[in-house]
Amino acid sequence: MLRRSLLCRGLDQAELRLVAASLRTVKFAPGQVVMKQGDTGRSMFIVLHGRVRITIERDRRPPRLLAYLGPGEHFGDMVLLGDGVRSATVTAVVDTELLELDREQFNQLLLTVPEFSANLGRTLVSRLRQEMTRRRRRERPTVIGLVNTSARTRAIAGQLAAALLAKGEAVEVLTDREEELTPLRCLVERIPAGLPLDKRAPTVRERIQQVAQHHHRVLLDVTQAGTPAELAELLAPCEEVWWLSESRYAEGAANRLRELAGAAADLAARTHWIWILRKDERFSPTLPFELPIARPDFKVTLDDDPQRTSRRQRHSLDRLVRHLRGTRLGVALGGGAARGLAHLGALRVLDREGIHFDLVAGTSSGALMGLAYCGGWRPDVALEELKRALTPARLFRALPGGLQWYLWSNFRRAAWERMLRPYLGDARLEQLAVPLSVLAVDLVQGVQVVRDRGDAINAVMESINLPYLSRPIMRDGMALVDGGVLNNLPGDVLPERGADFVVAIDVVAKLPADFGRRKRPRILETLMRVTDVQAFGTSALRAGSIDLLIAPDTSAYQFADFSRATELAEAGEKAAQEVLPQLKQLLAELEADATPDRK
């Protein structure tokens, strides 16, 4: 087994025997703490059998999951190289055997086995590189518990297994269902129905431990039946639990999960709520009350016909799979008033190529386009709806400077909200299919404000609220104006929220060249130009967080050219097509990194 450890890679037989002689075996039961953050330590560990979970606590917040480690992987080495204080808490997930190496033996190996020292250095460099490039090693759980709260949620196990198999993963499903699972190319094993309750959890735990040694994923597919304590014991080996609920059964499912949280807080902290939506449900409900569970939740659309999957179903299942494989794609949509319509052309190309995102951040008009994307509208449908809603009346188009006056008029009459509210009603950001972060600026504190919860339309109104044309929106003790004042291209927001790869679409990368060429600009034109220049400058400042930039040339269009939506979208489409080969190559590299070794 030591040959599988990164620490022992390249060691000859004599060196391996020397390392083995320096180790002692220690055993831990599921849920038992191996080491606790803040404690003093004098040893490190290599996983021999089983799995451990690493968490970290900061600022009295709930523990944050860093990673799961399995056979051959090591932890605790930093305490031997640093101040001797444990920087994280490590807990056994299943019955686990570890090989412990104390400080004295560790120091001796550094002196006598040069390749051991070199391997240790390589792992430290790898961790540092991940931090510097934001390619952090994410949790990639092997054992996932799927708790079904209705008959319809049962479809997830088969579809998830099929999606993972298509990625080249070895998958087994352990299930308590009696009916046949959709035919799959993976092993489906039934939990014996006649098992006494006191034998059920130990039998399942032992079987999971055996299966996990030969499979990348084990899906434990069960109902919510049993007492909270019995269900907690059954799910204890799961590194992550998905609580599957339809909208109509949400209250009962939430009450059941609250009972489970009371019996096993640690289990609840690694449980995600998964909304199972019907095709006609654009937005999920909100939970009836707060639950002490992991974020984020996920929304999965399930079609009634399993043979004909919709775009929304494919996208939502892909997001679940990427979550399990430890990769998250983010897109940042910059501000630019009417030129923000170019976002929809770029997104249309990516959507056509099967490239979609797990996280979105938007500023100003980018927040508006992001709202349409995260709300589940196809880019071409959103374009047509926005073109119809935003095109100025003929009177404004005929007047000198009429487009600027149209913009000013809409702010003064609060017309933007009246245009958008019929499409979204009172939907909240947390109900959207894809998480959306919306940026505004608080003039009281002089800081950017990032909304990812609350009324979706209110958040967008804050983000598009141009300070030259409208008074600040007073809310929550803040005076809120357009987010582009401080951050017009919010690529830096996405890594903070878990994105591993960030695409940014900058619709003001090139300023219009005709300003002031023919005649002295009017006041409104000047104010619009000031906004353009400000956006141009702040976008350049945030470029360090971006992996790939799409920069449509919108310099031929004015700040308020809403009537030219089709042409703006074509500019966005052209820019996306130009970088598409590069984007595909980068995503292929990311996918290769997420693909586990063969079992």
Side-chain angles (χ1 to χ4, degrees), residues 228 256-265 268 292:
R256 190 77 172 105
L257 181 50
R258 181 162 60 180
E259 292 173 358
L260 179 69

Side-chain angles (χ1 to χ4, degrees), residues 40 51 54 69 83 186-187 253 266 318 323 337 359 365 380 383 401 438 455 470 474 554 567 589 594:
T40 301
R51 302 270 289 177
I54 302 178
L69 301 182
D83 59 4
C186 72
L187 183 62
D266 180 64
D318 282 352
H323 167 73
L359 302 161
S365 60
D380 52 351
L383 178 65
V438 176
D455 186 278
S470 180
M474 307 305 294
T554 61
E567 298 162 72
E589 293 172 4

